[in-house]
Amino acid sequence: MASTTTAAPPELLAKPAARVLSEALGDRILALSDFRGDLAITVERSAWLEAARLLRDHAELDYKLFLDLCGVDHLDRPGHAERFEVVLHVYSVSHKHHIRLKTYVPESRPSLPTLIGIWRGANWFEREAWDLYGIVFEGHPNLSRLLTHDDFVGHPMRKDYPTARRHLLKVPKELLLEVPEGNEHLLINIGPSHPAMHGTFRAQVLLDGETITDAEAEIGYMHRNFEKMAEERTYWQIIPYTDRLNYCSSFMNGHGWALAVEKLLGVPAPPRAEGIRVILSEFSRIMDHLIAVSTNVVDLGAITPYFVMFRAREDIYELLEACCGARLTVSYVRIGGLSQDVPDDFEARCRKAIAGVRDVWQQGNDLLTRNLIFQKRFKDVGVMAKDEALSWGWVGPCLRGSGVAYDVRKDHPYSGYESYDFDVPVGTTGDCFDRYLVRMEEIQQSLRIIEQALAKLPQGPVITDDRNVALPPKSEVYSNIESLMNHFKLVYDGILPPQGEVYGYTEGANGELGFYVVSDGSKHPWRVKVRPPCYNIYQAFPHMIKGTMIADAVAIIGGLNVIAGELDR
Amino acid sequence: MAVNVVTVDRNQKAGVVPILKGHWVTLQNFWRSLFLRQASTIQYPEQKRPVSSRYRGIHVLTEREDGTPKCVACYMCATVCPAECIYIESGERPEKAIEKYPTRFEIDLLRCVYCGFCVDACPEEAIIMSRENDLVGTTRAELVIDRDRLMARGKLVEHGAGYRPVDHDVRRPVRLKALERLKSEHGIVPGMPAAKTPRA
Amino acid sequence: MPKCTIDGRQIEVAPGTTVLQAALDHGIHIQHFCWHPDLPVDGNCRTCMIEVEKMPKLQIACNTVIAEGMVVQTKSPKATEAQRTALEFLLVNHPIDCPVCDQAGECYLQDNYMRYGLYDSKIELEEKVHKRKVVDLGPIMLDAERCVLCSRCLRFEDVVTGTNSLQFVNRGDHTQIATFDGGKIEHDYAGNLADVCPVGALLSKDFRFKMRVWFLKQHESVCPGCSTGCNVFVDERDGEVQRLRPRRNAEVNKSWLCDPGRALYKQIGVTERVSGARVRGAGGWEGVSVAAALDRVAAALKDAGAASAFVATPQATNEDVFAFKALAETVGGKLDFRVGDPQLKLTQRIDEVLQRADRNPNTQGCLDQGIGKDGVDAIVSACRAGSLRALVLQGPELLRIPELVDAIAKVPFVAVMATHEGPELDRATVVLPAAMWAEVAGTFTNYQRRVQRLSAAVPPPGDAQPRLELAAGLLSRLGKPLATATARDVFALLAKATPGYAGLDYRAISGLGAALAPAGGADSMASGEARA
């Protein structure tokens, strides 16, 4: 498991990142681990910047995709060098490899050099780590509150910050930008309550005529600190919270969470459960893409596709409701599988939904793709180059629109995706049109996957029979003491994973949705960090729209599919 | 890179014809909605969208044959509730086979997220959810419902039962044999007595 | 010191240690039911089976003494199968009572099933043997069906209280525990029966159906009921104390706690507590802020000077008393605490198990700090003579003595720190709200001169403050503030100033306390620690 370079087993040291970094840093590497297959390297604080640069630039490593950076508070936990830990997750598209780089910062001087110079995406993540933990990043241009409001006092993710404490915001921040003197410029807010903002997030732009000369984003309106709540809930109780992350494709969040915890436990779900999860996740992806496309064009004045495409969502919602009793807040997954099997008319409902999606897809396609106005509004608007996208940490349809064919389902298959035939659409230009085409094609591919999964769906249980993880069947609980005791222990004690940490990731509708889970062996996770795909995507937005016209900014924002629940958590 | 990568086709020629095609799509929808009555919308509240038998609506406390709650105030539901919205106080029942019952059982419907974990956690099938989903109150206090409201049957009969325990039907072989033996030799079928709550 | 290997770990133990004791002391858990650290070994449950190299049959860990070079496997396939089947036998007739059983959350069967069981049941409900349920034994409820016949309660009744109230009756799988003729448990240690019972067969009637234990947060403290100073856990939820449980301390109370001590938790709640300061004026009592009340008291003390007296209480912590003494010395008045002469009863037992005659937890602490200075009689005489202008009471004991009412009435200014309301408080001029033992951090020194720590479990009600802070507030108003006001730092000060306490700090006395040399030599410790 975890060991220093001297004590590490040779297979661990042979991994490229481990080898390169240990050759360069020697005994400034404090620990190496491949718990549950995740390569994690802890370095001394002095080596942080150097290690990060090596990860990105070394030819054998090439970790160009920025995923996540977060803080962890190990207050009063034995076995940790300092109180705070900073954890970086990056990915190499060329080598298909995830890596975790960690370092400790002491409570007396919680600071680290910024990684902005290496990955642009580090900006908001470091700001969030300052906001929630009080870790200072030297050289960061704007270490100010991001998710909490400006009158907030304290750092809420710290373990000694009481969860129930409240701070009132008396006067919200009016100006995000510096307004030059004179009448040449117009300052306007886009959001947070604005129909063009698909969720409660804000951008403020400075206009010269119709052209945007400066822009800044403000988020946090929907910040409920899911991650702090997760530290006080059992792994089972966190499931309803996950539905409220990306609420347009809520089932997928639960799927991702369950997979992350199952990875931590080393307990897989049975094949039937995985098959059903794939079907419902793909339907959720379709729902999310239908929303993304149709609400995007509503802002451009094309309202019809919205009315048409939402009809298919109704069929999918009815399918979900028939399975678990709720349309959006499904809470259908369980650690180790699903809460119950699908109803008898599952396949019939799926076929109805598939037909419905096919119909509205065709209609939407007919309404939009070859429409002259639509193409003029979308083509060559909001171009995001490949390398920049990786540096920001773009994933999902937005990244694929820029020409990078990274899809977790293909490159790191889970839940049986390796057994399904499907294509990964990519764009060439990285403009709004490409992102639109990618999403439309993904809907078609999702339908392919669903049909295959339905055909291959095996019989069997829908939850693991590991009694440390899954509730026993009710017939057992009612009739024998052993199952009753088992049930009781799982309810009041909960699942008790081994000590350790994992990064579990799936292909959400917006891209790689990750859950970094740290367990101290108790029934509550010590730390949960959500890697929200649209967080990195929205971070680039103010930079993308500088120099464009305001109407283009509206076209761009819809296509990024920013969901506030996932953005702010 | 990954196999099965397809590049999207940007060269889809725009023009006047696609715009006309778009009009045609809209006209078809218009026709369907107005003359074929195939609109997606319904006239609520005269028409209501039916929900499935697993719907997670407002909770119901199930009852024994004598009409008292099945609930024995074991606190499983209050423990598992992620929203911490169930409040229970327990008291002694004179029947030694039952022993415990809830003197107070309150659910704050405003805090509740209708996840159904309380139903999953209950070891007595004492709490289920109905299909009641039209919840209206004029004060917050009104929406903190108590044991009597949870036992009331009016709404349950009106809307039907929703989310409730379903046997996973994975009885282990040893027990299946034992159950068969009990039935054939002694005529005993173990299990909880049938509930009187109406099932749709 | 024999060395052995348990599960691959090398362990050195004192001679006579059993495998179970050695394993538990080193963090290796072995299932057990009938073994208890403070009861004689019985070896009847057979759940602690372990494999010992060179011994052909499995052994019970609770009664296998470690020999030099012994190699023990607690998790070998043979051992785990024996542990599982032993547990299975205990559960054969066990009723499906978890929903109505208070033991859930601290039940050996539940915990051990998850660790050592996880097997499929082979028993039908209808086949189970039925026994008596909901049997009222007075302070304890008995449910004979849940009993696993471990005999812990029988052994407790035999060697600890000597009352032998419980016995096994019937035989085979109809064996039950019972009292003679259905009689009730009639000694002061019935609560321990519920504690020793590993399952829900014997449960506290006071705690019955009150609260599920997994909602409770536990805090370490010391019972204030008498000078024995039994170690306790204070279990609370959301600031409300639900029960007290004994905390094992082999030198003081072993695993036991008396029933009157357990009942003390009821005094902690908010009702009848003094939760605000008040001052008696011409028109009656007026509620004021604590700061305003302290201003009044400080003014009266400045005026009185040496014509004052200070009566501490052995209910207060060492830290409270230290600050109070500093106050008395600053003002220059008389000082004592011995209302009712608790020091004469300090080590006297009133039964053969735990309880002592001195119903105060910190008499020894007061003696050690020299609080017994001028004599209570002298103070009372000064009151009678009318020579006192101010009287400050750290507790209301003096006000409760009817014979002294007229004497106290002669003192123009009487300030009292009180935790509970009572008619005696009407005899005071200023009432200051004091926090109770479960609401403060601090230390008590018990009859053995053992200094033990309390931790605050719940917040004090309303404006109530620790007595330490009340005295510190007065000291700063008199121009002689304490260097610090946290209990931890005040203890450091008093350790320097008190003979015998040198070198002690909170870390040193954490957990099980620190024993000091007996004040008057070994003879003053008349009766030693808890019986059995």
Side-chain angles (χ1 to χ4, degrees), chain A residues 489-536:
Chain A
K489 286 292 281 185
L490 281 172
V491 173
Y492 72 71
D493 235 5
I495 295 168
L496 301 170
Q499 283 202 43
E501 56 188 43
V502 294
Y503 176 66
Y505 48 97
T506 53
E507 183 74 22
N510 277 335
E512 177 169 327
L513 170 68
F515 286 94
Y516 171 56
V517 184
V518 180
S519 157
D520 63 343
S522 76
K523 61 179 174 175
H524 301 307
W526 182 261
R527 172 79 166 107
V528 173
K529 171 72 171 68
V530 181
R531 194 266 159 194
C534 59
Y535 190 71
N536 303 58

Side-chain angles (χ1 to χ4, degrees), chain C residues 53 94 108 155 157:
Chain C
E53 236 179 59
H94 202 84
Y108 278 46
R155 282 175 278 145
E157 288 280 326

